[in-house]
């Protein structure tokens, strides 16, 4: 806020002050209004226009990306116009507000709704009744759905498999990602290596399913194997197997699915670790080398502590990915042959069986399962201090 | 009583198909607009043909993408309707149909008409009161004229007719490599004994007679449920079949077990199945017939619905490279049953233009895309052989006409928990050998929703 | 000194070799589908893709007619100087001079082949899969009057444009919003900071399917269904938790003293954020942009729900699903389809890879 000019005589300054104030208020109101109006026009154009596809797409991109930037700028400008004490109070909410609002609308409120649904039978709460009537109706089952979630055979199998996924899947994804990131950093063909490791990430899950079918594909013994793994196995004199569907070794057949996800996710952790490694100041590493540390010492004593934050965040995300793992299992086995996971059961119950109570309960159980990870992250969050 | 009814029905069907083959029934109405399909008098379709609803849009949702082969056939089928009425039919189907239709209906954003590949799936929405009953917009008389009663029974839930049957697939078909078959001089079997003798003969000649594969990703096992249904029709009465589908006859009953054991003697004989029993569960159903087309054939028979021709190697010609015959009966007491599966249409939003399209679906011309492009048969008894552009479908239609009874795919009628869940899973486990029959059957019974 | 140099060189070799090995392992599956995409449907289904490399194969040299030889397959037979039963000949019996005698077919129609083991290579490539994916498949209809009508298939251009229109804003919007929020979590004090952060972490695990019904209902009320805005917001909502979480981890680890000095110079939060924090976080922003772009690009379900009612907005994923067909009868086309749909995400990766650079923070830390 600019201070008013005190040198000018009272009358004039008063009028000018009033005018300036009115001007500011008008400006403050009109800028957001104008920006909203422009955005709204863009929205209408996109919804109703018959312009050529290319133009619509271009305008959509500009409008969508520019719109968000404009909104932040406008809100910040508005708050900056306020007196200081208000500014300090409101500014954080300009920064964090939109994110929290969107998250609440898209995920938090639906989650609460899901919890409510999980207390009812398969058709959910009877419609058109008040809250009190609903929870006293026959459809209300309390925590009955949760009881069956933890006792049903298939669910128990799903929990077991998810545990395998978390232990093996997340560990190997992180280790390979880190190993490749560090090696690539020191190698002579960094870009190429990283691109090739990243390649699987770019393939959709359906594509990945096809790719791995070329690895795991089974043909009866004595026929030409078209799956690479069985081709190798038979040429070494073994018997071909349909690896992910090999029930005899259950639950270890899950490992063949886990391999697919490690192959996909290593690119994810590699990219994030790479970004973090690039953030290590060169001076630090040089100092270490001058002190005569070898590469291993440098890695464990300088790099690891420096990227610890990234390590934890990557691990957290990958644990959550593996907890939610769905597509690969669905495409490869559909959860049969002892490969069900929590998410495939959730899908089955919610959509195939349309059992809204049971499906919702499974989704809430996922939330409960992530609590340890949350606590750990919160501890780190507390250590971090703001200004 | 029921049995008599079914026999009467079956005869009616056979007779009607024969009649249909002889000549087209006279349309009930003089058309208001010049269209080449009949329509009920005084309904929304008649009004629509006057152009009253021109410019409106009807959305249809289903389990195939709008521009895959089925989508193109659908567009082809409704073309005549769109041209005659000015109503736009907007098809929005996709492969995640199971999830998207649930979400749309629950969010109050139901499409106008849904094309359900399984009546069992529609049942879940009938229970929720989302579907408009057929009686509200179509006369019983018209439906009687267009359909054999059994098709109407399949879309009737708790006594109320909720949908319109549209097109179907014949399932009781066995495919064989015609050229090699004729060269080898094998005879087409007419009974189960003859079939088993043929199996042994082919095995003695050093080949495996059958190609069987039931792997299908999340739906692995459905092909084994088809065999179970075929055997339920061939080894026990229709009453028992209906009771089984309705959940009144348990999987653990001797009848169901006997049906499964009947096909097991073929499936579990490693000399009869290409790759042996262990490969059945892990062979993709679409790849499984491929060895029939190798030179020389590695197997000689494959049982599957008529859509399987889409998976046959490119350039193979029906009647030359492959032929088909009726999957033979087991016990002559139960006649020649025919198993079918197919799509039915359900109306979710009641508007005049939607009614008009639903009425259009009651005539065989509304399936013209499939009749001319192949892949499905019309469920209407007014369909005539000249409507088929493909010899193959014509031949299958004849086989259906010769059947003494026909029934809809049981697992498609059962609740999702069983028909698209435990039945698939446990029958797969049974075939894979990880569960014995008793365990598998009891496990399926346990999942039947109370 | 020179020994140190040698050691360094050795180290470099070791690094390169290990990495090469890993990269090879990672590439084999993709190589398989890449090669397969140039083979036709029957080849894919009958022989392994590695047949494009030189390998040895049994090749027929001559054919014999068992009937002319008067062989009885039910007994022990002698052919070309080797004897065996029918079953043994079915598997093939090797002769002393390195050839193989095999019975092809069954006892009724069979023939006997003499084969030799020869080096061969299968280079029968075609662009057919790519043509069908890019140009669309044509459908033929045979009319009752005998005429044949061809319905041309869709090409990929429109789907690509639509996918871009969905993916770019759906990538940039959540990143921008998440960066603001991450900055607030890291460098501002406000009531509810901790509980909001817990909420972000907790929502990471929520499956997005639970949100589809309520959001679709809201969209209907707001008349947003089937618009670009609807799907951008949806992808923003579903991607925001992860974006905020990852960016928070990066932004909170920025050196404190840089920001402090800026505040001492009287800069506002907004200025610090836009002129200091955003440029410094480019590697993290770029890496998240890559992932978000990928997820949105490969998403099928969300697009179906919020754009599905609008067939003119067909995306690449929907195109691919259509190519395969309702029952998966044309899955072999996915070999080519996977590569066609990968082009763009990979381009994004290559473009943004330039931002993973060292030295953004050079000189900021007193060593």
């Amino acid at each position: 806020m600019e201070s008013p000019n005190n040198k000018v005589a009272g009358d004039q300054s008063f009028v000018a002050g009033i005018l300036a104030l009115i001007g500011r208020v008008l400006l403050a109101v009109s800028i957001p209004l104008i920006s909203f109006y422009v955005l709204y026009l863009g929205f209408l154009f996109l919804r109703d226009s018959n312009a050529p596809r290319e133009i619509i797409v271009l305008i959509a991109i500009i409008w969508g990306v520019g719109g968000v930037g404009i909104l932040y700028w406008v809100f910040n400008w508005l708050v900056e116009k306020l007196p200081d004490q208000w500014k300090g109070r409101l500014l954080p909410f300009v920064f964090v507000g939109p994110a929290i609002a969107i998250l609440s609308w898209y995920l938090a409120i639906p989650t609460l709704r899901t919890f409510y649904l999980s207390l009812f039978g398969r058709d959910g709460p009877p419609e058109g009744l008040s809250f009190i009537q609903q929870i006293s109706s026959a459809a209300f089952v309390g925590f009955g759905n949760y009881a069956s979630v933890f006792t049903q055979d298939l669910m128990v199998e799903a929990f077991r498999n998810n545990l395998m996924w978390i232990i093996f899947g997340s560990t190997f994804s992180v280790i390979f990602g880190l190993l490749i990131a560090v090696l690539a950093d020191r190698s002579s063909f960094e870009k190429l290596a990283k691109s090739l490791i990243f390649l699987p990430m770019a393939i959709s899950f359906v594509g990945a399913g096809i790719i791995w079918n070329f690895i795991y594909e089974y043909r009866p013994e004595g026929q030409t194997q078209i799956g690479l793994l069985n081709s190798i196995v038979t040429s070494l004199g073994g018997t071909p197997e349909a690896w992910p569907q090999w029930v005899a070794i259950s639950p270890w057949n899950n490992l063949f699915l886990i391999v697919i996800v490690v192959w996909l996710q290593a690119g994810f952790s590699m990219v994030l670790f790479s970004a973090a490694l690039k953030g290590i100041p060169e001076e630090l590493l040089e100092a270490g080398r001058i002190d005569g540390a070898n590469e291993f010492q440098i890695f464990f004593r300088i790099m690891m502590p420096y990227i610890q934050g990234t390590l934890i965040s990557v691990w957290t995300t990958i644990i959550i990915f593996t907890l939610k793992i769905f597509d690969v299992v669905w495409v490869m086995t559909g959860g049969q042959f002892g490969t069900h996971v929590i998410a495939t059961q959730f899908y089955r119950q919610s959509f195939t069986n349309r059992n809204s109570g049971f499906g919702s309960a499974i989704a809430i159980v996922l939330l409960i399962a992530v609590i340890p990870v949350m606590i750990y992250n919160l501890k780190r969050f507390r250590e971090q201090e703001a200004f | 009583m029921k049995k008599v009814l079914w026999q009467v029905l079956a005869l009616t069907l056979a007779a009607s198909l024969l009649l249909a083959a002889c000549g087209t029934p006279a349309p009930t109405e003089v058309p208001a607009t010049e269209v080449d399909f009949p329509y009920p008098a005084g309904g929304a379709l008649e009004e629509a043909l006057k152009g009253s609803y021109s410019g409106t849009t009807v959305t249809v949702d289903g389990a195939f993408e709008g521009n895959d082969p089925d989508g193109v056939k659908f567009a082809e089928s409704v073309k005549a309707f769109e041209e005659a009425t000015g109503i736009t039919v907007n098809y929005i189907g996709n492969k995640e149909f199971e999830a998207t239709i649930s979400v749309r209906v629950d969010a109050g954003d139901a499409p106008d008409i849904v094309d359900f590949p399984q009546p069992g799936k529609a049942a879940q929405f009938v229970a929720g009161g989302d579907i408009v009953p057929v009686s509200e917009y179509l006369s019983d008389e018209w439906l009687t004229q267009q359909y054999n009663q059994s098709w109407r029974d399949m879309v009737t839930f708790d006594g109320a007719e909720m949908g319109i049957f549209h097109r179907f697939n014949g399932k009781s078909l066995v495919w064989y490599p015609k050229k090699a078959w004729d060269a080898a001089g094998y005879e087409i079997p007419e009974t189960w004994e003859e079939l088993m003798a043929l199996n042994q003969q082919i095995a003695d000649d050093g080949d495996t007679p059958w190609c069987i594969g039931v792997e299908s990703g999340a739906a692995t096992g459905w092909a084994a449920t088809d065999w179970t249904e075929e055997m339920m029709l061939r080894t026990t009465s229709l009453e028992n079949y209906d009771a089984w589908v309705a959940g009144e006859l348990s999987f653990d009953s001797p009848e169901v077990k006997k049906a499964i054991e009947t096909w097991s003697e073929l499936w579990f004989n490693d000399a009869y199945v290409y790759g042996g029993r262990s490969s059945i569960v892990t062979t993709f159903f679409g790849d499984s017939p491929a060895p029939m087309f190798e030179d020389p054939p590695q197997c000689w028979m494959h049982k599957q619905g008529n859509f399987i021709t889409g998976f046959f190697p490119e350039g193979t010609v029906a009647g030359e490279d492959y032929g088909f015959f009726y999957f033979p009966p087991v016990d002559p007491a139960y006649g020649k049953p025919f198993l079918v599966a197919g799509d039915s249409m359900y109306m979710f939003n009641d508007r005049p233009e939607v009614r008009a399209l639903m009425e259009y679906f009651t005539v065989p011309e509304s399936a013209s895309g499939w009749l001319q492009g192949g892949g499905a048969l019309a469920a209407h008894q007014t369909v005539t052989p000249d409507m088929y552009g493909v010899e193959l479908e014509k031949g299958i239609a004849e086989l259906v006409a010769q059947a003494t009874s026909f029934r809809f795919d049981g697992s498609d009628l059962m609740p999702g928990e069983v028909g698209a869940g435990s039945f698939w899973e446990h029958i797969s486990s049974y075939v894979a050998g990880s569960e014995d029959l008793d365990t598998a059957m009891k496990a399926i019974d346990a999942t039947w929703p109370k | 000194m020179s020994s140190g140099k040698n050691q360094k060189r050795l180290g470099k070799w070791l690094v390169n070799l290990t990495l090469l090995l890993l990269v090879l392992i990672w590439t084999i599956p993709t190589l398989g589908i890449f090669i397969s995409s140039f083979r036709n449907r029957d080849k894919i289904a009958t022989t392994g893709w590695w047949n494009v490399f030189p390998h040895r194969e049994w090749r027929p040299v001559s054919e014999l007619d068992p009937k002319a030889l008067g062989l009885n397959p039910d007994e022990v037979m002698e052919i070309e100087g080797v004897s065996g039963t029918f079953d043994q000949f079915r598997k093939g019996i090797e002769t002393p001079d390195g050839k193989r005698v095999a019975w092809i077919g069954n006892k009724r129609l069979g023939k006997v082949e003499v084969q030799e083991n020869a080096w061969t290579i299968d280079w029968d490539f075609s662009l057919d899969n790519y043509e069908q994916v890019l140009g669309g498949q044509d459908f033929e209809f045979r009319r009752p009057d005998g005429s044949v009508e061809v319905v041309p298939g869709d090409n990929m251009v429109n789907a690509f444009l639509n996918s871009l229109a969905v993916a770019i804003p759906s990538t940039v919007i959540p990143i921008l919003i998440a960066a603001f929020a991450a900055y607030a979590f890291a460098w501002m004090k406000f009531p509810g900071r901790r509980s909001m952060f817990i909420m972000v972490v907790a929502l990471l695990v929520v499956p997005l399917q639970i949100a589809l019904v309520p959001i679709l209902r809201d969209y209907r009320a707001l008349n947003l269904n089937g618009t670009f805005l609807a799907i951008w917001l949806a992808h923003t909502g579903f991607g925001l938790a992860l974006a905020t979480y990852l960016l928070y981890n990066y932004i909170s680890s920025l050196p404190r003293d840089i920001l402090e000095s800026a505040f001492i110079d009287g800069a506002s939060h907004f200025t610090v954020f836009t002129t200091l924090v955003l440029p410094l976080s480019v590697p993290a922003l770029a890496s998240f942009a890559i992932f978000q772009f990928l997820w949105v690009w490969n998403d099928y379900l969300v697009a179906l729900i919020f754009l599905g009612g609008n067939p003119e907005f067909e995306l690449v994923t929907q195109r691919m699903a259509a190519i395969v067909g309702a029952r998966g009868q044309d899955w072999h086309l996915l070999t080519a389809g996977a590569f066609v749909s990968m082009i763009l995400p990979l381009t994004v990766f290559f473009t943004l890879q330039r931002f993973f650079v060292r030295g953004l923070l050079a000189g900021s830390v007193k060593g």
Side-chain angles (χ1 to χ4, degrees), chain B residues 123-135:
Chain B
Q124 299 174 330
F125 296 95
V126 172
D130 303 303
I131 298 174
V132 183
V134 175
S135 56

Side-chain angles (χ1 to χ4, degrees), chain A residues 89-109:
Chain A
R89 264 182 226 167
L90 285 181
L91 198 58
F93 292 100
V94 170
F95 275 62
V96 88
I100 295 299
I102 290 181
L103 274 176
S104 304
W105 180 22
Y106 280 87
L107 288 176
I109 294 167

Side-chain angles (χ1 to χ4, degrees), chain B residues 281-417:
Chain B
V281 179
T282 52
T283 303
F284 174 53
F285 80 91
D287 289 343
S288 60
M292 269 195 331
F293 295 98
E294 282 178 34
D295 183 32
Q298 301 293 307
C299 65
W300 296 79
M301 286 177 276
H302 178 72
K303 192 199 91 61
Q304 191 55 279
N306 48 307
F307 64 82
I308 195 69
T309 53
F311 288 90
F312 288 172
E314 271 164 57
T316 47
V317 185
E320 288 175 32
D321 300 298
Y322 58 88
F324 58 90
F325 59 83
Y326 169 70
F327 188 54
V330 176
D331 184 338
Y334 303 115
K336 291 173 90 179
F338 208 94
L339 186 73
V340 297
D343 290 57
S344 38
M345 304 286 182
Y346 301 80
M347 181 161 92
F348 279 70
N349 299 322
D350 195 355
R351 298 197 309 275
E353 60 269 23
V354 184
R355 288 182 172 203
L357 183 55
M358 285 300 278
E359 288 179 25
Y360 176 66
F361 285 139
T362 60
V363 297
E365 285 82 354
S366 70
S368 61
W370 281 276
L371 304 188
Q372 285 159 15
L377 313 167
H380 317 78
Q381 62 187 8
T382 52
V383 67
T384 58
D386 59 283
M387 290 185 187
Y388 288 103
V390 185
E391 285 303 316
L392 180 80
E393 266 74 15
K394 228 182 258 187
I396 296 168
E398 277 163 27
L399 277 187
V400 176
Q402 291 160 12
T404 56
S405 66
F406 73 118
R407 275 293 183 274
F408 202 84
D409 185 313
S411 62
D412 284 357
L413 297 168
M414 292 172 187
E417 280 91 336

